[in-house]
Amino acid sequence: MSTATFPWAAQGDRAWAAQAVERGGRWYWYLCCNTSDGKDALAVAVADRPTGPWRDAIGGPLATGWGFIDPTVFIDDDGRAYLFWGNKGFWYGELNDDMYSFRNGYREVPGYTDPKSFGPLQEKMDWSIGKNRLMTQYEEGPWVSKRNGLYYVVYPAGGVPEHMAYSTAPTVNGPWTYRGRIMDEAENSFTIHGGNIHFKGHDYMFYHNGALPNGGGFRRSTAIEEFTFNADGSIPFIPFTSEGVEPVGTLNPYARVEAETMAQSWGVKFDRLAGDQHVVTSIHNGDWLRLRCVDFGSKSPSTVSAELTAVKQRGTIDVFLDRLDGKPIASIPVEPGQTTATAPVNGQRCEGIHDLYLLFRGGDEELFDFDAWEMK
């Protein structure tokens, strides 16, 4: 999906802050963009599968207005769906069952201008009027969730650079109560748009920063921290870490593993094709992938195979256990014209759970595209 999905939108790279959700067996993808005449707008696409194909749900914007960006969709326990959004303003509306129209229109979130609801007033630039004015801590990028009957909205706060704060309410319509700061300003980024999820018994906060090489305010990367709600339901202050969260599952190497499945990578890119089938591309000498918690069970594999496309020149895929150095457990040779390459595992014991590295070697030019791998 791209701005080309929405013919009424300004074309180019101005589409951002998207969120997709499933309801009734269909998928709905909300994002912000600009109209062809430059207005801020909310768009929604629909598909039968999360991989598409996606189409414009209504043939025009869902809503337009200054600061109409950063939509987030929330489906309550009773099945009623709501859309929240806004920068330097905070709006919401209940969605109809079609998920792309409002039941009773939309309005400003109750308490948006009240310090008790969204934090102490401070002077912030309001670009809609071109000058500073007193506003609450809420800035943009809301994320709405519910836990034990209590509604939470997490949001970037305090102006630029932003920190993360949150408010709670007994109903989705408020009244909202400001609960304070939960994350500091992001490293090397003036924004910190994020949100929290509950997954396999754990709570996680996603956010972004500019900490990776060549990162910055407009070259941001996704980050994640695990946290635990306090006994009273409040969210604790969440410090930044660089280690990453602990895995909550394992990976089976004896079944086909898509090449884009990884915990970390260096140098590679993904294709931008529509549909379900994708490959790792832009592979050059020295690039690598890392996978965590690969469970070999009680036996060691005897072979490893790779599925390839667009082999441009000879190379190898070296497979390392736990560390990207020493002797590889296998070295898969890749030749032009191949679609599958197989190599023996060199006898090193692999039982149990390990990290796995796939290191690509070859000449100076792009090597090949990598589709999947499997061990036997």
Side-chain angles (χ1 to χ4, degrees), residues 3 47 89 94 131 143 200 203 215 245 255 271 297 299 320 347 353 372:
T3 52
E94 183 181 349
K131 63 181 181 181
W143 180 269
K200 292 189 176 182
D203 289 288
V245 298
D271 70 71
K299 65 175 183 177
F320 291 85
I353 298 174

Side-chain angles (χ1 to χ4, degrees), residues 192-210:
I192 189 172
H193 194 156
N196 59 292
I197 65 165
H198 186 75
F199 181 68
K200 292 189 176 182
H202 299 256
D203 289 288
Y204 300 97
M205 185 68 72
F206 286 85
Y207 62 102
H208 65 226
N209 61 29

Side-chain angles (χ1 to χ4, degrees), residues 98-122:
D98 60 19
M99 295 293 282
Y100 46 74
S101 63
F102 291 107
R103 189 174 301 278
N104 297 299
Y106 56 83
R107 62 192 179 104
E108 188 175 85
V109 171
Y112 164 68
T113 60
D114 187 347
K116 294 179 181 178
S117 296
F118 292 100
L121 297 175
Q122 69 178 79

Side-chain angles (χ1 to χ4, degrees), residues 30-338:
Y30 303 85
L31 66 145
C32 50
C33 57
N34 297 121
T35 61
S36 57
D37 58 356
K39 296 185 178 68
D40 293 334
L42 306 181
V44 55
V46 62
D48 294 325
R49 296 168 53 86
T51 51
W54 294 89
R55 63 174 179 84
D56 186 354
I58 52 178
L62 179 59
T64 61
W66 178 265
F68 278 35
I69 67 171
D70 298 354
T72 185
V73 62
F74 167 72
I75 301 176
D76 208 342
D77 302 334
D78 59 7
R80 299 170 75 171
Y82 301 85
L83 196 71
F84 289 76
W85 70 91
N87 169 281
K88 302 291 175 57
F90 196 9
W91 299 271
Y92 82 121
E94 183 181 349
L95 294 167
N96 286 312
D97 292 341
D98 60 19
M99 295 293 282
Y100 46 74
S101 63
F102 291 107
R103 189 174 301 278
N104 297 299
Y106 56 83
R107 62 192 179 104
E108 188 175 85
V109 171
Y112 164 68
T113 60
D114 187 347
K116 294 179 181 178
S117 296
F118 292 100
L121 297 175
Q122 69 178 79
E123 276 203 353
K124 296 192 286 186
M125 171 58 73
D126 183 347
W127 296 105
S128 66
I129 60 175
K131 63 181 181 181
N132 287 347
R133 68 180 177 94
L134 286 174
M135 288 183 275
T136 58
Q137 292 293 294
Y138 174 90
E139 181 72 13
E140 58 181 355
W143 180 269
V144 179
S145 62
K146 185 180 183 181
R147 179 178 182 271
N148 295 337
L150 187 65
Y151 294 82
Y152 296 75
V153 58
V154 171
Y155 47 89
V160 176
E162 300 166 346
H163 61 272
M164 197 93 81
Y166 82 110
S167 300
T168 61
T171 77
V172 73
N173 298 303
W176 293 96
T177 301
Y178 177 67
R179 299 298 184 184
R181 175 188 293 242
I182 52 175
M183 283 186 133
D184 283 336
E185 293 77 7
E187 180 182 352
N188 197 29
S189 174
F190 58 90
T191 64
I192 189 172
H193 194 156
N196 59 292
I197 65 165
H198 186 75
F199 181 68
K200 292 189 176 182
H202 299 256
D203 289 288
Y204 300 97
M205 185 68 72
F206 286 85
Y207 62 102
H208 65 226
N209 61 29
L212 288 182
N214 300 317
F218 290 103
R219 294 180 62 87
R220 305 184 290 256
S221 52
T222 304
I224 177 175
E225 307 291 349
E226 185 173 357
F227 72 97
T228 301
F229 281 90
N230 294 320
D232 62 359
S234 60
I235 301 176
F237 180 80
I238 305 169
F240 301 134
T241 66
S242 58
E243 295 81 10
V245 298
E246 288 299 314
V248 292
T250 58
L251 187 70
N252 178 12
Y254 304 114
R256 176 188 169 97
V257 180
E258 295 293 335
E260 59 268 27
T261 303
M262 65 180 70
Q264 192 176 6
S265 67
W266 179 264
V268 301
K269 296 181 179 180
F270 300 117
D271 70 71
R272 304 182 74 174
L273 302 175
D276 297 345
Q277 301 304 313
H278 299 279
V279 297
V280 174
T281 188
S282 190
I283 295 173
H284 294 79
N285 181 49
D287 292 347
W288 51 263
L289 310 176
R290 174 193 175 210
L291 299 97
R292 297 183 71 184
C293 290
V294 178
D295 190 355
F296 292 93
S298 58
K299 65 175 183 177
S300 291
S302 58
T303 63
V304 56
S305 60
E307 296 182 22
L308 311 156
T309 63
V311 178
K312 302 172 180 65
Q313 63 172 305
R314 178 179 299 161
T316 60
I317 304 175
D318 289 345
V319 183
F320 291 85
L321 210 62
D322 295 320
R323 298 165 57 96
L324 194 59
D325 59 11
K327 184 179 179 181
I329 65 170
S331 186
I332 307 170
V334 178
E335 298 285 345
Q338 281 185 310

